[in-house]
């Protein structure tokens, strides 16, 4: 409980501040909050919330995994796009039998995302460009490349829309709900999260990743191949991002639509969620659920109560600010002679 | 006005289950050097932190010149004329000496920093106390001893009348330590009260006026150094006398376990750090390595442990060292914070490093086994900690050092390399550490000990090698005098 409290304090504080903002601009919180909750869970909205939860949780892994090794992966968008377009290309161009038609594009997307992220590793070990910079730098060209492929070589002919043709039936992810928005991507990502949590706390690689992140020289001194471990962690994170790209493309509307992967801002929301979890891996899924809930609910609130959905972004921003302040305060107090 | 510059009255402080300070009374007079000694974990650092406003006491209070004061932060302490020299210096390496000293209380003309005035006051201060520094030098380029002088000047610049030093000599060479004590005497003669925490009893007797001994959070002895012996202090600290050192043995005839052959090391800039170093260590012997800081010890030890390339010049039982930390070499590094531990990881996880693969099963790294191993080491090496799950940074300095030793010595390695193995440990632990190294030697390990404390090398080593500017310049038997060693360290051939 003691370790969870910064996150709890941050959320409570942010909600309190938001309530003050609502009062200040003349919105009745008694109307807005119920509208927010309804927007997220009622009237079949729960399916959208879950559909947004899956990629956000995946992107949270993509950020959190390298972060455990001390590497900031801010290139989630590029890895996402690379994974998405690669998955689309495989699904469109390689004729495959039923099950493989899903598995192969997803695997290819994972690999593509992993490769894009792994590019940052030699840049940091050889040229001393920190991953926080290089992942971000590589992201933009990766997004552009995916966009180019979707507009030209892989474009759907004759529509003039920047998107690929609809993927063949075999390549559609099996749906778990009527409308098809919740797919087997949900159990897959949840399973991956579980595996990550297990690996992080009770495997040798998890231990070596954490030691590298906590004190690189200590890990190096202990015989851990820190550069390799950091590269694996980055590649692993990128791989998950690539997989998420594949899952989005293989889900409705079953094509790569230019910009559709990055526009919802999964990457940033995921970063926010991981920071909110403040270095407690098991809290990550909870934080993701909370922020997804706020975002989807915010749109409902806009529709119903006329409150601009930007308000929920303010909440999100405030949460991050409070987390940062608490972390700084704690670090100051912790500084011992 | 009280004769005491500062008094701690009935101070208690608890950390969870640990009562770190238990009703401590301590008074330090103007112009006095007051030593505080005690075992690892006795509560010395905690008490000093309370006096400097870093911790708030649970009970008791602080008087400054007889008036009660309340300290909520170091800023409060500074305002009340208290100064502290930290063991891990809090200086800005990219700024000059003068800038570092005046920072936070800069002389200004209008809104601009008055550099000339800053230089002048620094020069004044350093003249007054005989603390030689160059105000224009960049702090990052200075040796540790001089950086420490900058810290002291910074406190004096802010008119500290009580100066707290927590293990100031742990990072110094013997020469630097002697100079520090001269400085402290001068500063004290100017009316400043000095609190000195240290584990080196010879220092206490040479430089202190009075001594307070702490044990398990309480005062167990107050002495004036003039009529005290080291044995009295040890008795008050640990409640018994210490065993006399084990006699040295004749060097065995076996083939060398560690063999360094004509090792030359250049750094990234092409500067030669080690030139043609050759020596060997036989199983069953302890070889000491002496030399002023920066004589090539770092490069030599990093090569022997496999951390630096060049291991083909280093043979372990006849085969070259494996690159990237050879598991056959146990290694106790000097810098515990940067290299020896990950301060935020738990004690158990710190004790695990290097053994994670041996403990792993097919399903991963069982936490129970990790804890089990840690508890075993904690018991065998008598490390005192609330539990094996606390971050290692919550251990007292000496206990953290014992943890590093426990991790490395428990492997039963053929070769043991130890840098400053007893830094920051109390006299009892020091003799325990020495006993452990001797025990490993007697079981056939080849031991290489690097220490800036010549007394330690003389007690421990069967032979002593001296490094100077990257070359081995002398070799002595274990009976060399400190004068002989000291001379060789400065490059004067014997
Ligand atoms: N921040 C903290 N949290 C928990 N326990 C602490 C903390 N600081 C100190 N302790 C505990 O309080 C006791 C006293 O520690 P302290 O650092 O004052 O010892 P010390 O006398 O300075 O020892 P050493 O000679 O090893 O530096 C130890 O048992 C230590 O583990
Ligand atoms: Mg201490």
């Amino acid at each position: 409980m003691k370790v969870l409290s910064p996150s709890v304090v941050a959320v409570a504080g942010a909600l309190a501040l938001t309530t003050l903002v609502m009062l200040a601009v003349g919105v009745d919180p008694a109307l807005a909050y119920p509208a927010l909750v309804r927007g997220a869970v009622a009237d079949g909205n729960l399916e959208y919330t879950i559909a947004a939860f899956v990629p956000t949780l995946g992107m949270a892994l993509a950020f959190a995994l390298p972060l455990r090794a001390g590497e900031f992966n801010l290139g989630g968008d590029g890895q996402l796009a690379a994974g998405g377009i690669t998955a689309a290309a495989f699904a469109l161009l390689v004729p495959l039998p039923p099950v493989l038609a899903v598995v192969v594009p997803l695997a290819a997307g994972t690999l593509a995302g992993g490769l894009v992220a792994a590019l940052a590793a030699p840049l940091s070990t050889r040229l001393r460009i920190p991953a926080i910079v290089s992942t971000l730098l590589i992201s933009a060209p990766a997004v552009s490349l995916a966009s180019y492929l979707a507009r030209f070589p892989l474009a759907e002919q004759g529509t003039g829309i920047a998107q690929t043709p609809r993927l063949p039936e075999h390549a559609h992810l099996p749906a778990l709900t009527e409308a098809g928005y919740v797919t087997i991507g949900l159990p897959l990502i949840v399973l991956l999260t579980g595996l990550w949590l297990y690996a992080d706390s009770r495997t040798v690689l998890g231990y070596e990743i954490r030691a590298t992140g906590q004190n690189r020289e200590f890990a190096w001194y202990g015989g851990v191949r820190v550069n390799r471990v950091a590269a694996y962690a980055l590649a692993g994170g990128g791989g998950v991002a690539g997989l998420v790209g594949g899952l989005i493309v293989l889900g409705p509307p079953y094509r790569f639509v230019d910009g559709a992967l990055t526009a919802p801002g999964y990457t940033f929301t995921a970063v926010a969620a991981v920071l909110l979890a403040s270095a407690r891996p098991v809290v990550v899924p909870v934080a993701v659920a909370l922020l997804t809930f706020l975002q989807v609910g915010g749109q409902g609130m806009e529709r119903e109560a006329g409150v601009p959905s930007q308000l929920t972004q303010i909440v999100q921003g405030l949460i991050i600010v409070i987390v940062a302040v608490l972390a700084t305060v704690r670090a100051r107090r912790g500084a011992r002679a | 006005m009280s004769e005491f510059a500062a008094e701690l009255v009935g101070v208690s402080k608890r950390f969870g289950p640990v009562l770190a300070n238990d009703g401590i009374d301590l008074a330090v007079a103007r112009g006095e050097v007051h030593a505080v000694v005690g075992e690892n974990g006795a509560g010395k650092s905690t008490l000093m932190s309370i006096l400097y406003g870093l911790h708030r006491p649970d009970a008791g209070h602080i008087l400054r010149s007889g008036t009660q004061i309340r300290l909520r932060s170091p800023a409060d302490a500074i305002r009340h004329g208290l100064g502290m020299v930290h063991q891990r210096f809090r200086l800005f390496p990219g700024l000059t000496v003068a800038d570092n000293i005046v920072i936070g209380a800069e002389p200004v003309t209008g809104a601009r920093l008055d550099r000339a005035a800053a230089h002048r006051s620094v020069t004044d201060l350093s003249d007054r106390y005989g603390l030689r520094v160059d105000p224009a030098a960049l702090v990052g380029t200075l040796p540790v001893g001089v950086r420490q002088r900058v810290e002291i000047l910074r406190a004096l610049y802010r008119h500290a009348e009580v100066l707290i030093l927590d293990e100031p000599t742990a990072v110094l060479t013997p020469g630097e330590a002697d100079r520090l004590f001269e400085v402290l005497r001068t500063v004290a003669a100017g009316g400043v009260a000095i609190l000195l925490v240290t584990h080196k009893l010879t220092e206490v007797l040479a430089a202190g006026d009075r001594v307070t001994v702490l044990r398990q959070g309480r005062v167990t002895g107050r002495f004036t150094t003039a009529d005290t012996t080291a044995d009295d202090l040890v008795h008050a600290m640990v409640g018994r006398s210490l065993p006399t050192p084990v006699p040295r043995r004749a060097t065995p005839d076996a083939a060398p376990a560690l063999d360094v052959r004509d090792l030359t090391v250049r750094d990234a800039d092409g500067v030669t750090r080690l030139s043609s170093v050759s020596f060997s260590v036989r199983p069953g012997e302890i070889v000491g390595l002496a030399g002023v800081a920066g004589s090539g010890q770092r490069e030599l030890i990093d090569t022997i442990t496999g951390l630096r390339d060049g291991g083909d010049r280093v043979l372990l039982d006849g085969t070259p060292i494996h690159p990237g930390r050879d598991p056959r070499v146990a290694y106790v590094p000097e810098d515990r914070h940067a290299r020896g531990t990950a301060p935020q990881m738990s004690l158990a996880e710190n004790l695990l490093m290097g053994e994670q693969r041996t403990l792993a099963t097919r399903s991963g790294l069982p936490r129970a086994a990790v804890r089990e191993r840690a508890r075993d080491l904690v018991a065998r090496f008598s490390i005192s900690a609330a539990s094996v799950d606390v971050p290692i940074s919550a251990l007292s300095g000496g206990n953290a050092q014992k943890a590093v030793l426990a991790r490395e010595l428990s492997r039963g390695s053929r070769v043991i390399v130890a840098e400053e193995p007893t830094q920051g440990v109390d006299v009892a632990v020091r003799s325990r550490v020495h006993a452990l190294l001797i025990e490993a030697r007697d079981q056939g390990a080849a031991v290489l000990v690097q220490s800036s404390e010549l007394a330690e090398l003389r007690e421990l080593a069967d032979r002593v090698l001296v490094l100077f500017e990257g070359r081995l310049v002398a070799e002595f038997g274990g009976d060399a005098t400190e004068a002989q060693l000291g001379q060789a360290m400065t490059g004067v051939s014997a």
Side-chain angles (χ1 to χ4, degrees):
Chain A
M1 205 52 221
K2 204 180 103 208
V3 257
L4 227 151
S5 54
S7 318
V8 174
V9 171
V11 172
L15 286 178
L17 285 172
T18 311
T19 310
L20 286 181
V21 172
M22 284 182 183
L23 291 173
V25 299
V27 172
D28 184 357
L31 289 179
Y33 281 121
L36 179 105
V37 175
R38 272 197 304 277
V41 298
D43 313 329
N45 289 339
L46 187 59
E47 182 167 353
Y48 295 110
T49 308
I50 294 175
F53 171 75
V54 172
T56 313
L57 180 57
M59 294 311 289
L61 282 193
F63 179 67
L65 198 161
L67 186 63
R68 292 299 263 177
E71 303 283 11
F72 282 83
N73 176 18
L74 292 188
D77 276 348
Q79 296 144 21
L80 189 65
I85 196 70
T86 309
F90 270 78
L92 288 170
L93 304 178
V94 188
L96 288 162
V99 175
L100 285 182
V102 169
V103 173
V104 170
L106 287 184
T110 306
L111 217 60
L115 279 177
V116 169
L119 281 181
L123 291 179
S124 104
T125 52
R126 299 266 146 82
L127 303 179
R128 309 236 158 269
I129 303 172
I132 191 170
V133 176
S134 55
T135 51
L136 198 57
L137 286 179
I138 295 167
S139 182
V143 170
S144 306
L145 180 65
S147 165
Y148 163 79
L149 291 173
R151 281 164 192 274
F152 300 104
L154 295 175
E156 188 172 27
Q157 299 304 317
T159 60
I161 303 175
Q163 62 182 25
T164 64
R166 195 176 152 95
L167 309 186
E169 207 69 34
H170 284 334
H172 295 189
L173 286 181
L176 301 182
T177 53
E178 202 74 25
Y181 287 105
V182 177
T183 65
I184 56 157
L186 173 66
L188 189 62
I189 292 290
V190 168
L191 182 74
L192 263 184
T193 309
L195 277 178
W196 171 63
L197 290 175
Y198 182 84
D200 182 73
S201 66
R202 352 183 141 202
T203 65
V204 171
L205 185 60
Y207 171 71
E208 294 188 345
I209 286 179
R210 281 183 292 123
T212 303
Q214 288 288 339
N215 180 353
R216 226 174 161 112
E217 178 162 353
F218 168 67
W220 171 75
Y221 146 84
V224 175
R225 308 197 164 179
V226 289
N227 289 339
R228 195 182 291 187
V229 163
Y232 285 166
L234 271 170
V240 179
L243 174 65
V244 171
L247 289 174
I248 296 176
V249 169
L250 267 53
Y254 308 108
R255 53 174 102 221
F256 184 98
V257 182
D258 189 25
L261 275 61
T262 49
Y266 298 128
T267 306
F268 174 71
T269 306
V271 169
V274 172
L275 295 180
L276 171 60
S278 49
R280 294 261 300 151
V282 286
V283 183
V284 167
V286 181
V288 170
L290 179 78
L291 294 191
T292 316
F293 173 88
L294 278 178
Q295 280 200 331
V296 180
Q299 286 151 18
M301 189 168 73
E302 183 163 22
R303 285 194 303 272
E304 242 191 82
V307 181
S309 65
Q310 277 79 1
L311 198 59
T312 56
Q313 282 167 20
I314 297 180
V315 182
Q316 194 167 312
L318 285 173
I319 290 177
I320 299 308
V321 170
I322 298 175
V323 167
V325 168
L326 289 177
T328 317
V329 168
R330 264 206 309 186
R332 290 257 171 98
R333 281 219 200 109
R336 282 221 309 144
Chain B
M1 206 159 79
S2 159
E3 65 168 305
F4 293 115
E7 285 166 84
L8 290 137
V9 184
V11 166
S12 295
K13 176 77 188 176
R14 176 180 284 284
F15 293 109
V18 181
L19 193 51
N21 285 171
D22 183 5
I24 294 182
D25 294 322
L26 177 73
V28 53
R30 269 179 283 282
E32 142 179 78
V33 177
H34 193 122
V36 178
V37 300
E39 288 180 285
N40 292 129
K44 306 178 294 292
S45 296
T46 303
L47 191 66
M48 296 304 121
S49 300
I50 288 173
L51 183 55
Y52 192 58
L54 284 162
H55 288 316
R56 269 179 246 179
D58 300 331
H61 57 268
I62 299 169
L63 303 179
R64 177 80 176 85
S65 297
T67 342
Q68 185 169 342
I69 56 170
R70 234 169 227 292
L71 303 175
R72 280 182 209 83
S73 67
D76 281 353
I78 291 168
R79 223 171 307 124
H80 283 108
L82 299 158
M84 182 151 179
V85 174
H86 298 276
Q87 196 178 96
R88 295 184 72 72
F89 301 137
R90 303 185 170 186
L91 299 173
F92 299 96
L95 295 184
T96 64
V97 167
D99 287 348
N100 264 291
I101 291 173
V102 301
I103 207 155
E106 301 88 346
V108 284
T109 36
R112 290 190 50 219
L113 167 64
D114 187 343
R115 278 246 151 64
H119 272 234
R120 244 177 294 121
S121 17
V122 170
T123 317
D124 281 354
L125 264 183
S126 63
D127 285 350
R128 175 137 44 101
Y129 293 105
L131 282 152
R132 301 259 152 270
V133 288
D134 169 9
L138 283 184
V139 162
T141 63
L142 300 174
V144 201
V146 180
R147 284 192 214 190
Q148 191 173 56
R149 243 174 270 165
V150 176
E151 282 256 355
I152 295 174
L153 279 171
R154 178 154 76 169
L156 295 174
Y157 177 80
R158 299 176 182 187
H159 308 289
E161 292 172 6
V162 180
L163 189 60
I164 306 164
L165 299 102
D166 194 351
E167 297 189 38
T169 56
V171 290
L172 300 184
T173 63
E176 284 174 329
D178 288 344
R179 245 161 289 144
L180 170 68
F181 291 124
E182 279 168 34
V183 165
L184 292 185
R185 295 257 47 121
T186 328
V187 173
V192 174
I194 294 180
L195 275 165
L196 171 71
V197 177
T198 177
H199 286 294
K200 299 180 184 164
L201 300 183
T202 43
E203 287 177 355
V204 172
L205 296 173
D209 298 307
R210 291 191 301 150
V211 195
T212 296
V213 183
L214 299 188
R215 185 167 173 219
Q216 291 174 358
R218 297 198 193 156
V219 176
T220 53
R222 301 178 204 275
F223 302 90
T224 45
T225 52
D227 34 51
T228 309
T229 64
D231 211 43
D232 296 337
L233 292 179
V234 170
H235 236 278
M237 280 166 69
V238 298
R240 60 190 159 87
S241 295
L242 291 177
T244 44
V246 189
R248 205 166 275 113
R249 301 182 324 169
T251 307
D253 249 350
L258 176 70
D259 201 1
V260 178
R261 292 186 182 167
D262 195 24
L263 176 66
T264 296
V265 172
R266 287 193 184 78
D267 65 14
D269 302 325
V271 180
T272 307
R273 312 307 303 229
L274 281 178
S275 55
S276 308
V277 169
S278 299
F279 67 92
S280 56
V281 185
R282 295 173 199 283
E285 88 172 326
I286 298 180
V287 170
L289 190 62
V292 295
S295 300
Q297 297 94 325
R298 171 83 290 114
E299 290 78 9
L300 179 60
I301 288 175
D302 279 357
T303 314
I304 292 175
T305 49
L307 290 174
R308 176 188 259 281
D309 291 341
D312 50 338
R313 293 275 174 187
V314 181
L315 302 182
L316 211 160
D317 284 331
T319 54
I321 288 288
H322 306 166
R325 187 67 202 275
D326 193 310
R328 296 171 298 172
V329 184
Y331 171 29
V332 179
E334 149 180 51
D335 194 335
R336 197 166 57 228
H337 296 270
R339 186 177 276 193
T341 63
Q344 300 312 315
M345 292 182 98
S346 72
L347 173 58
E349 290 185 319
N350 270 284
L351 287 170
L352 176 64
M353 182 51 79
E355 292 298 311
Q356 65 268 34
R357 286 171 200 278
T358 37
L359 282 193
T361 64
R362 229 178 317 144
S363 65
L365 191 57
R367 281 202 228 177
V370 171
R371 286 214 186 92
E372 183 69 29
R373 176 188 139 81
R375 286 203 195 97
D376 175 51
L377 291 181
V378 162
R380 264 166 60 201
F381 289 81
S382 37
I383 300 166
S384 97
S387 93
V388 297
D389 298 320
V390 296
I392 197 166
S393 59
L395 269 61
S396 81
N399 280 301
Q401 179 71 6
K402 277 198 271 182
V404 175
L405 276 153
R407 180 182 66 215
E408 297 301 320
L409 295 185
S410 62
R411 294 212 187 126
S413 307
R414 274 290 274 171
V415 173
I416 296 168
V417 177
E419 291 172 350
E420 309 291 352
T422 57
Q423 62 166 336
V425 307
D426 64 50
V427 281
V429 178
R430 183 177 191 272
S431 78
R432 173 101 179 95
V433 169
H434 285 183
L436 285 167
L437 289 172
I438 286 169
E439 187 186 308
R441 173 195 75 182
D442 292 346
Q443 286 166 2
V447 185
L448 183 67
V449 176
Q450 184 256 305
S451 177
S452 56
E453 203 190 325
L454 298 181
E456 171 157 69
L457 292 179
R458 295 184 58 229
E459 261 170 65
L460 209 52
D462 303 308
R463 288 188 291 140
V464 180
L465 307 174
V466 181
L467 268 178
F468 176 70
E469 293 186 345
R471 286 170 298 118
L472 276 184
V473 292
E475 175 174 343
F476 295 94
D479 50 2
T481 64
E482 291 195 25
Q484 285 174 310
L485 288 171
Q487 209 173 34
M489 282 166 63
T490 55
V492 182
S493 47

